[in-house]
Amino acid sequence: MSLSCIAEAKLEETGFSYTLSLIQGKYKMTILYCLSEFGVVRFNEMKKYIGTISYKTLSAMLKELETDGLVHREEYPQIPPKVEYSLTEKGRSLIPILDAMCDWGEQHRPKVPAGQSEAG
């Protein structure tokens, strides 16, 4: 095993940094999770599912995920316009990582005693 020197290391040149650049942001992982759970999802369906996201933010996050090659956008030429989103192969390859994060969260989040709400 070789030891690396932090003085010579550059975080931005790591796979960790690249992965974070793709999924960081308040809603990106939520969008990816939604698409992994429901497959093909329309914009308004996703907005209703997430709830707390604005239309502008959802649109911006989807565009970034599409630019990064994680989400596929399919637009149908009809009136009213119909747009559907799904994960690309690259996006699907991130799902085991997100699943592992969910598993970790389930194991380590504080347990709420029966009969109490989380607000407690």
Side-chain angles (χ1 to χ4, degrees):
M1 179 168 106
S2 68
L3 296 176
S4 58
C5 177
I6 195 165
E8 298 166 5
K10 293 186 175 138
L11 180 63
E12 69 271 6
E13 295 175 0
T14 65
F16 177 78
S17 180
Y18 175 70
T19 304
L20 280 182
S21 75
L22 297 179
I23 63 173
Q24 70 186 357
K26 187 172 179 181
Y27 293 103
K28 284 186 178 181
M29 287 190 286
T30 304
I31 292 167
L32 293 170
Y33 177 79
C34 174
L35 292 173
S36 81
E37 285 294 305
F38 301 107
V40 177
V41 180
R42 294 179 70 175
F43 185 91
N44 284 332
E45 293 171 333
M46 195 174 312
K47 167 70 174 94
K48 287 178 189 171
Y49 175 75
I50 297 173
T52 57
I53 193 170
S54 70
Y55 288 101
K56 182 179 178 179
T57 300
L58 178 57
S59 180
M61 295 295 101
L62 285 166
K63 283 178 185 170
E64 287 180 25
L65 290 166
E66 184 183 7
T67 298
D68 290 335
L70 301 175
V71 169
H72 172 73
R73 180 180 189 270
E74 185 72 35
E75 188 172 348
Y76 297 92
Q78 64 184 52
I79 307 281
K82 178 181 172 183
V83 179
E84 294 178 333
Y85 296 90
S86 60
L87 292 175
T88 62
E89 188 61 37
K90 184 177 176 181
R92 284 190 294 277
S93 71
L94 265 175
I95 299 309
I97 296 164
L98 299 182
D99 285 342
M101 291 173 66
C102 289
D103 292 343
W104 187 92
E106 287 298 325
Q107 291 174 12
H108 296 285
R109 72 180 174 148
K111 303 295 184 227
V112 178
Q116 289 187 1
S117 69
E118 294 223 20

